[in-house]
Amino acid sequence: MPVGNLLVGLGFICGTLIAAQGAINGRLAGGIGGPIHAALISFSVGWLALLALNIILGHRIPSYGQAMSVPWWAWVGGLIGAVMVTSSATAVPRIGVAAWVSAVIAGQLTAAVMYDQFGAFGQAVRPATPLRLLGIGFLVLGVYMVRRF
């Protein structure tokens, strides 16, 4: 089986986990005092898991020079993750998993088409074709339908 197919399957599995994450973090937030507390615990558990994995795999900590060699925007991934976890812990208990995930997916794909169009973050340029834009329109309509009906 080609690696690309395995990665698509991995993406699908990660999508199922992301859908569960909002409900899990929402429950955690309700039990411990709010979404920021839940995000802190969530990231702490994740940090510990990644630390253990790095130790098990024998990876070393990058040098200061390596860390400083990446562009400034390469450092905001953790901040984006914190916003996502906190937002999902806030939103999912109020609007439900389907409405939250559909809005996230619509936002992700809208941004992805724009990032492709302009080659953002060093990616190859891939034009925002009329059919891609139509697909985004359908996604936005889907968010409305999931939320409304």
Side-chain angles (χ1 to χ4, degrees):
M1 176 178 287
V3 172
N5 291 344
L6 292 173
L7 293 175
V8 168
L10 178 62
F12 183 86
I13 291 167
C14 287
T16 66
L17 296 174
I18 288 170
Q21 185 181 35
I24 291 166
N25 287 327
R27 176 63 182 95
L28 182 60
I32 64 165
I36 295 173
H37 291 94
L40 177 63
I41 290 174
S42 178
F43 273 89
S44 297
V45 170
W47 183 84
L48 289 171
L50 291 171
L51 178 64
L53 185 61
N54 272 278
I55 291 169
I56 291 166
L57 295 176
H59 294 177
R60 62 176 183 75
I61 296 173
S63 70
Y64 179 79
Q66 288 173 308
M68 294 295 110
S69 70
V70 298
W72 69 268
W73 49 262
W75 289 91
V76 301
L79 180 59
I80 292 169
V83 169
M84 280 295 299
V85 169
T86 305
S87 298
S88 69
T90 301
V92 169
R94 290 172 175 81
I95 65 172
V97 175
W100 173 252
V101 171
S102 65
V104 168
I105 290 169
Q108 285 177 323
L109 288 175
T110 300
V113 168
M114 294 299 104
Y115 297 155
D116 278 353
Q117 171 69 28
F118 298 108
F121 310 113
Q123 299 298 307
V125 173
R126 294 174 180 87
T129 64
L131 285 178
R132 281 181 148 200
L133 296 174
L134 180 63
I136 290 171
F138 282 132
L139 284 166
V140 172
L141 177 62
V143 173
Y144 172 77
M145 292 177 72
V146 166
R147 182 81 171 107
R148 178 87 172 120
F149 301 106

